[in-house]
Amino acid sequence: MSRLFPFLFLLLSGSLFSQLKFDTLSHRRFQTITTPAILIGYHYAGDAKDNTETFRASQMHIIEVVFARIIEYGGNHGAARVLYAGSDFIINNRHGFFMAPKIGVSSSAGIALGAEVQFQTNFEKVIPRIMPYFGFGGGGGKLTVGYNFRLLKVENFPINTLQIGITWPIKRFKEKTT
C-alpha cells in the first residue's frame, strides 16, 4: 500500500498540472510578430534628492509617452522584447517641470527586465541618467521598479531615486509576422 502512494501522486500531478494539448499546438507556436505601438505610462518617484543629499525635494509624478517596436516570440507562453524611444514629462512641486527624452530596451516573459538612458532637462541644462528596472510584464506592458543613476559627477538637479511605474500599449499598429 505504501508503494501505491508515490505512483498515485505522480499520476495525478502529471494529469492535473500538465499543459493542455491545444495550448501547445497553438497556431502562433513558433512565430515572431513585430508590432509598432504607442506606449503610455505613469511613474511615481518619492523623495527626490540632489547629488549632495542636503535637501529632499517633493515627490515626482512622471507621465511617459514612447513609440515602441514590440517583438513577440513564441506562442501563448512566449516572450517579448520592446525597443522604444520617447519622453518622460516630470512634474515636481519644488522644481517645476522637467522633460526627459529617452531610449530604452525591455525584455519580458512574465518577469520584465530593462534599462533606459534619459536626458533630463529643465530647458537650461541637460543631465544624462541611466535607469535599470525590473518587475512583471508581457506583450509590451509592464509594472516595474527602477533606480536612476547619474552619469555626471557634478550636478545640482534633483534625482528621482526610486521609481515605481506602469506602462501599457494604448495603440498597436499593423502586425508583421515572420
Side-chain angles (χ1 to χ4, degrees):
M1 185 71 173
S2 64
R3 292 183 182 180
L4 184 60
F5 287 121
F7 177 73
L8 286 175
F9 175 75
L10 291 174
L11 180 69
L12 288 175
S13 65
S15 64
L16 292 176
F17 300 115
S18 64
Q19 291 184 346
L20 301 173
K21 284 187 179 183
F22 67 85
D23 190 25
T24 58
L25 297 176
S26 172
H27 68 284
R28 291 180 58 181
R29 185 171 182 191
F30 295 113
Q31 289 182 343
T32 300
I33 297 174
T34 303
T35 308
I38 296 174
L39 306 172
I40 192 162
Y42 171 77
H43 302 274
Y44 172 78
D47 290 339
K49 300 176 187 176
D50 69 349
N51 63 332
T52 62
E53 312 254 343
T54 58
F55 73 95
R56 290 183 180 260
S58 61
Q59 295 129 357
M60 293 184 174
H61 300 278
I62 304 164
I63 303 297
E64 172 186 28
V65 179
V66 297
F67 182 74
R69 183 173 161 211
I70 302 171
I71 305 162
E72 294 179 292
Y73 302 98
N76 295 331
H77 302 290
R81 180 178 61 184
V82 181
L83 307 168
Y84 57 91
S87 185
D88 284 348
F89 301 98
I90 304 167
I91 300 167
N92 181 309
N93 292 337
R94 177 177 261 179
H95 296 283
F97 179 75
F98 294 72
M99 276 187 67
K102 64 182 182 176
I103 57 172
V105 63
S106 173
S107 179
S108 62
I111 302 278
L113 297 171
E116 58 188 38
V117 176
Q118 303 174 353
F119 299 94
Q120 294 183 351
T121 180
N122 63 353
F123 305 106
E124 293 176 8
K125 53 187 155 188
V126 176
I127 310 294
R129 304 251 164 90
I130 187 165
M131 186 180 80
Y133 56 84
F134 70 95
F136 302 102
K142 60 187 183 251
L143 175 64
T144 59
V145 174
Y147 192 88
N148 270 325
F149 294 98
R150 62 179 183 252
L151 296 176
L152 296 176
K153 283 194 176 241
V154 179
E155 61 182 62
N156 55 1
F157 218 42
I159 181 169
N160 49 340
T161 53
L162 186 63
Q163 184 171 308
I164 299 169
I166 186 167
T167 304
W168 202 256
I170 59 167
K171 174 70 176 162
R172 287 184 181 240
F173 300 100
K174 189 175 180 179
E175 292 182 348
K176 180 181 163 187
T177 306
T178 57

